[in-house]
Amino acid sequence: MTDRSDQDAPKSEYQLSGFLPYQLSIASNAVSGLIAERYRTRFGLKIMEWRVMAVLGDAEAGRLTQRDLTEVTLMDKVAVNRACKVLEERGLIQRVQNEKDGRSHLLRLTGEGEAIHREVMPLAKATERELFEGFDAQEEAMLRSMLERMRLRAASIASAAG
């Protein structure tokens, strides 16, 4: 038997384009794709590889394990593993022994990886400024705040269910 409220609901309620996770995904992919296109041809980096480099290049992050990278980026562990392997083969990151846990390794940018990071970050930040053209400072701050609140809410729901 079909729920009567489903039959009476406007069709637009069920359209994917109005579904928040879809909207967030599409916006994220569009922004990531724009930035990626700008550094892909110059540095030969895919989106996942750049995300790993960006996190490792973050002064606060320093050296991280692959597990840490998976948690920080919310990327699939297979994608993180694949990106790390490519970056290591290219000499952009290196593994160092984790003195706190002999079973794992810490990853860090090599000198070449740091040099690429220093070149890409200004390009990424310039693209970010372009994306915010037409937004006033209050709108930008509000969007950033709402995205952070949404991320924290999703983490809280996942943690409660877990």
Side-chain angles (χ1 to χ4, degrees):
M1 179 172 196
T2 305
D3 183 356
R4 190 82 186 135
S5 62
D6 285 350
Q7 291 176 351
D8 296 336
K11 184 179 178 187
S12 63
E13 181 180 336
Y14 298 108
Q15 289 182 328
L16 186 60
S17 62
F19 186 50
L20 177 66
Y22 178 77
Q23 291 173 325
L24 291 170
S25 177
I26 293 300
S28 174
N29 289 343
V31 170
S32 292
L34 175 64
I35 293 171
E37 189 55 40
R38 292 182 173 184
Y39 58 69
R40 181 181 302 129
T41 53
R42 184 166 177 186
F43 301 105
L45 294 169
K46 294 180 180 171
I47 291 172
M48 299 303 179
E49 294 159 11
W50 169 245
R51 283 188 187 158
V52 167
M53 287 186 67
V55 171
L56 291 176
D58 186 334
E60 294 178 32
R63 300 174 178 191
L64 298 171
T65 64
Q66 276 190 215
R67 178 177 284 177
D68 295 334
L69 281 167
T70 300
E71 289 175 16
V72 170
T73 61
L74 297 178
M75 290 171 28
D76 178 74
K77 66 182 178 179
V78 173
V80 170
N81 184 46
R82 190 175 303 127
C84 288
K85 183 176 175 141
V86 168
L87 293 170
E88 192 173 12
E89 288 171 357
R90 287 188 56 191
L92 301 177
I93 66 171
Q94 67 183 60
R95 294 178 190 275
V96 295
Q97 189 63 42
N98 185 350
E99 294 176 12
K100 293 180 182 176
D101 178 0
R103 298 170 295 164
S104 67
H105 290 85
L106 296 170
L107 300 167
R108 70 173 184 197
L109 294 176
T110 62
E112 185 180 352
E114 288 174 355
I116 289 175
H117 183 269
R118 282 191 302 272
E119 283 189 62
V120 174
M121 280 312 293
L123 180 60
K125 292 300 281 182
T127 303
E128 179 185 62
R129 285 190 300 275
E130 279 183 84
L131 288 165
F132 275 116
E133 285 177 15
F135 287 71
D136 64 34
Q138 184 179 3
E139 289 173 320
E140 180 181 342
M142 186 181 298
L143 176 59
R144 290 180 188 276
S145 173
M146 291 184 341
L147 288 171
E148 178 63 6
R149 286 176 49 204
M150 184 65 64
R151 185 191 66 76
L152 291 172
R153 181 68 182 134
S156 173
I157 293 169
S159 154

